[in-house]
Amino acid sequence: MLTEPAIKRAAVFVDGQNLFYAAKSAFGYGYPNYDVAALAAAVCQKQNWNLGQVRFYTGIPDPADDAFWNHFWTAKLAQMGRQGVYVFSRALRYRNQTVRLPSGQTHTFLVGQEKGVDVRLALDIVRLAYQKAYDVALVFSQDQDLSEVAFRHCARMMLCTVSRITTSNPGHSDSPNCRTARMTRS
């Protein structure tokens, strides 16, 4: 059985679209003006963890479909990279979605969806756990399926639902929006 180190090494994993929509819902922001490196540093400092790495995952629109947001995310991801944040991005996939209106008519429109971004985030959590690259995985996501990663592969993982992390006590394991899993690695 391994003993916990006095100062834990943290790796922070951010689901970018989840963080954007959480900030929009909590504060009314329509523009993703957050700084994931500063958020990660603040949470790790509060917990007395040594921040080892920050990883950001998102889908971005195709320039032909939405030139403004494609340019915005391309520039924002480049800036994050210059700050030392590992960035994973994938083009959104588009499909038609049909909804029935109250009048009974149907309306079809094109919807961009992330495909494979959450899977990549989960794979990186597991891969880095096996490489012993961190003692604590701090995950900012609303995807509850990611909590399975903690129970299967990680020594310690804190999964914070980003829908309320900014209005509760961010990064604190007593927060109702954070769950901590502890187990020993085999």
Side-chain angles (χ1 to χ4, degrees):
M1 184 156 101
L2 298 175
T3 58
E4 287 193 39
I7 303 291
K8 295 168 184 65
R9 298 167 299 138
V12 177
F13 301 85
V14 180
D15 181 332
Q17 292 297 316
N18 273 254
L19 184 59
F20 168 66
Y21 286 111
K24 183 177 182 179
S25 174
F27 303 108
Y29 291 136
Y31 200 75
N33 60 350
Y34 49 74
D35 181 341
V36 296
L39 174 63
V43 172
C44 288
Q45 181 181 22
K46 186 171 183 82
Q47 293 295 318
N48 197 31
W49 294 334
N50 182 18
L51 177 58
Q53 56 184 294
V54 180
R55 304 176 74 84
F56 185 84
Y57 302 79
T58 193
I60 60 173
D62 186 272
D65 293 311
D66 194 332
F68 173 81
W69 285 113
N70 174 275
H71 175 73
F72 173 85
W73 280 111
T74 301
K76 186 163 184 76
L77 296 178
Q79 177 59 31
M80 285 184 201
R82 287 189 292 275
Q83 291 178 314
V85 175
Y86 168 85
V87 174
F88 173 82
S89 66
R90 179 171 278 171
L92 294 176
R93 294 199 182 157
Y94 293 88
R95 67 175 184 87
N96 287 324
Q97 182 171 344
T98 302
V99 295
R100 183 166 303 280
L101 302 174
S103 66
Q105 296 178 338
T106 59
H107 177 70
T108 302
F109 54 97
L110 201 57
V111 176
Q113 294 181 321
E114 287 186 340
K115 293 293 180 189
V117 174
D118 290 341
V119 171
R120 176 61 184 265
L121 192 155
L123 288 171
D124 284 354
I125 291 171
V126 172
R127 179 180 55 82
L128 292 170
Y130 278 112
Q131 292 174 353
K132 297 182 175 26
Y134 60 81
D135 301 306
V136 176
L138 178 61
V139 182
F140 292 96
S141 179
Q142 292 177 327
D143 189 341
Q144 297 305 310
D145 292 338
L146 292 174
S147 64
E148 288 298 314
V149 174
F151 296 107
R152 306 272 184 241
H153 301 286
C154 299
R156 183 171 188 203
M157 181 172 122
M158 183 177 286
L159 177 68
C160 296
T161 56
V162 294
S163 60
R164 286 200 231 156
I165 189 149
T166 51
T167 57
S168 66
N169 190 357
H172 193 274
S173 58
D174 293 336
S175 167
N177 301 308
C178 296
R179 290 192 317 278
T180 303
R182 291 177 190 257
M183 58 189 302
T184 56
R185 289 186 198 146
S186 50

